[in-house]
Amino acid sequence: MTLYDPVAQFCARHHLLDAGDTVVVGVSGGPDSLSLLDILRRMSPALNLKLHVAHLNHGLRGAEAEADAAFVAEMARRWELPLHQKTVSVAQIARRQKKSVEDAARIARYTFLAAVAQKTSAQKIAVGHHADDQSETVLLHFLRGAGLDGLRGMRPAAPVPVVADAPVTLIRPLLETTRADIEAYCRERHLSPRLDTSNADGAFTRNRVRH
């Protein structure tokens, strides 16, 4: 079963995309973001979307992260999409700002995506958050004592986190899609995503919740 129709319907129901939009797509190279990019690429002709691939190397996984960046660059080349890449040291950012590595990575990622959106005059930033991520987010908020707004979880469209007054909307087209369906879509479309081994690291709070 293809994800294309359900995701297209979800986008239409929540008014996530308008004809002629320029969209920055955050692509790590994993199953979620790769599926998202492929679906948006297939939607592009009907909506006249202008897609930009954005990949941030967090500087945490050495050669594995460099291989991820090379993979994303090759996919962008193959699909003839403009590419924006940057490498930062999240560990240094975390130490300098006295934040956890997870928080520093999140700030660095959204700051980078917002900068690419400003450079390309994009109206939207698309990320690959899906239904399993939503469940994890709600549980994390519960464990941290969040109020009712926090327990509502992520929204299909929202302001860009941590970037005040960014003139762009963050969209999550896969928010009702499960991880299992995403993996099935990758097999169906013969996509070969990269796998981030740090997702198994129990030092990160979200990983402990996930597992």
Side-chain angles (χ1 to χ4, degrees):
M1 181 184 66
T2 182
L3 285 184
Y4 180 85
D5 287 340
V7 172
Q9 291 164 10
F10 180 83
C11 289
R13 189 164 69 250
H14 292 280
H15 309 288
L16 300 188
L17 294 166
D18 296 309
D21 270 348
T22 297
V23 184
V24 173
V25 188
V27 182
S28 67
D32 317 333
S33 61
L34 191 59
S35 296
L36 173 65
L37 180 62
D38 186 56
I39 291 170
L40 292 178
R41 185 177 66 94
R42 294 172 65 190
M43 294 174 67
S44 291
L47 290 174
N48 190 30
L49 301 177
K50 301 172 185 67
L51 303 180
H52 289 259
V53 177
H55 175 85
L56 182 66
N57 181 343
H58 295 86
L60 294 171
R61 295 183 293 114
E64 182 180 298
E66 292 174 6
D68 290 349
F71 171 80
V72 172
E74 172 58 22
M75 294 304 300
R77 185 200 64 79
R78 185 185 308 172
W79 287 344
E80 299 181 339
L81 297 172
L83 173 70
H84 308 264
Q85 288 185 307
K86 183 178 180 179
T87 299
V88 299
S89 175
V90 164
Q92 289 184 6
I93 294 171
R95 286 194 295 271
R96 186 167 62 246
Q97 298 182 354
K98 295 181 170 56
K99 296 182 181 295
S100 69
V101 169
E102 286 174 288
D103 285 343
R106 178 172 176 268
I107 292 168
R109 185 163 54 250
Y110 284 123
T111 301
F112 167 66
L113 292 174
V116 175
Q118 182 177 23
K119 176 182 177 182
T120 59
S121 300
Q123 293 80 33
K124 309 287 170 59
I125 294 172
V127 293
H129 294 143
H130 50 74
D132 296 62
D133 291 328
Q134 180 76 294
S135 299
E136 293 163 9
T137 296
V138 170
L139 182 53
L140 280 167
H141 287 176
F142 172 76
L143 293 173
R144 291 167 178 165
L148 291 177
D149 284 346
L151 295 180
R152 181 176 58 187
M154 295 179 287
R155 290 176 286 170
V160 180
V162 310
V163 183
D165 302 321
V168 62
T169 301
L170 183 76
I171 62 172
R172 300 179 172 99
L174 302 182
L175 201 54
E176 287 187 350
T177 303
T178 66
R179 184 178 288 117
D181 284 342
I182 288 169
E183 291 171 353
Y185 181 82
C186 287
R187 292 191 294 270
E188 174 191 325
R189 294 284 294 170
H190 304 291
L191 302 174
S192 300
R194 299 280 300 171
L195 298 178
D196 183 347
T197 57
S198 69
N199 286 334
D201 188 346
F204 298 113
T205 305
R206 181 174 287 271
N207 288 347
R208 293 199 298 274
V209 169
R210 177 177 301 147
H211 294 299

